[in-house]
Amino acid sequence: MKKNRSISQKLDFLMKLTDTSNSALAKALSFDASYISRIRNGERGIPLHQPFVEPAAAYFSRRINNTYQRKVLSDVLNNGTPISADSEAIEHILLNFLSNDSASVFHASGFSVERFIEETSAFHRNKAADRDRAGKAGADCSREATVL
């Protein structure tokens, strides 16, 4: 069982929502990517010797820049109340979210982290498949143009 499930779920949720890799977050927060991975997997908690929550909230607030991301945050963290596009307002919401010691926010909203991760992964797979199809179609058009 995960020891630090609350922060690991929250971090995983925000990283999936913003399509952030362990190495990108590690670089932004001056941590080792393996340490971010261990926090994300519940093997470690938030470090006490170095600021984490505030810089993480600031980082993620800058990465939440589209309507879909704000809608998800609204549904999960703000009881469906729309969230402003203002990064400072988003940072404040994320700071409260990451500072709260409970994972119950997910359960209270009926939100499933696992379902969100599955849907996000499917979205990214479909997006990659669309790019592949577009690339093949472009190559086919180029071949046809060459033949003509």
Side-chain angles (χ1 to χ4, degrees), residues 94-112:
L94 296 179
L95 184 57
N96 287 335
F97 173 60
L98 290 170
S99 298
N100 183 340
D101 206 21
S102 171
S104 64
V105 66
F106 291 125
H107 304 297
S109 68
F111 181 78
S112 163

Side-chain angles (χ1 to χ4, degrees), residues 125-141:
R125 281 192 305 273
N126 291 339
K127 198 169 154 183
D130 289 346
R131 277 195 306 265
D132 289 345
R133 281 192 293 275
K136 288 178 185 175
D140 290 344
C141 289

